[in-house]
Amino acid sequence: MKKVISTPNAPAAIGPYSQAIETEQFLFISGQIPIDPAVGEITADTIEGQAEQVMKNIAAVLEEAGLDFSHVVKTTCFLADLNDFAAFNEIYGRYFPEAAPARSCFAVAGLPKGAKLEVETICVK
């Protein structure tokens, strides 16, 4: 059985997908881009600001599901510019001070709304 997880504290889906899907054992969070849910747009223009917003968006979905970052077991990270890797890592690492999840990170040709990054997440309940 699956359950849709949705919160107004993270960006609304901009296509035919859910913010997250919960199963008996897992939570799958769709890729989060740095949209500020309060205004519905990307407001940060630096990789640091956008990374912080992405992580806040993930936190909001986790909270709605009754979980936190300690439940995250895998992330897939997409960067529009791999030169932003170190700055992204600095912000990302703050959310995983211990037992960081498995991770893949890719440079991509482009992301929705001109975002500098996107992060999707898999969690164990």
Side-chain angles (χ1 to χ4, degrees), residues 28-47:
F28 300 89
I29 301 176
S30 292
Q32 293 294 305
I33 61 174
I35 293 175
D36 180 341
V39 296
E41 296 293 331
I42 296 173
T43 56
D45 57 358
T46 66
I47 187 64

Side-chain angles (χ1 to χ4, degrees), residues 9-107:
N9 298 321
I14 56 175
Y17 62 90
S18 301
Q19 284 177 336
I21 294 292
E22 181 179 42
T23 68
E24 290 180 17
Q25 294 180 319
F26 299 100
L27 178 71
F28 300 89
I29 301 176
S30 292
Q32 293 294 305
I33 61 174
I35 293 175
D36 180 341
V39 296
E41 296 293 331
I42 296 173
T43 56
D45 57 358
T46 66
I47 187 64
E48 294 87 356
Q50 288 196 14
E52 191 66 47
Q53 185 63 59
V54 164
M55 301 309 285
K56 286 179 183 177
N57 293 345
I58 292 169
V61 177
L62 287 167
E63 183 177 339
E64 184 67 23
L67 303 176
D68 59 36
F69 282 99
S70 71
H71 293 91
V72 176
V73 295
K74 172 71 168 79
T75 62
T76 305
C77 308
F78 306 93
L79 298 176
D81 184 347
L82 209 49
N83 290 319
D84 289 335
F85 184 75
F88 164 70
N89 247 4
E90 177 67 28
I91 303 301
Y92 177 94
R94 293 179 195 162
Y95 288 83
F96 301 106
E98 296 178 16
R103 179 176 85 174
S104 301
C105 189
F106 302 94

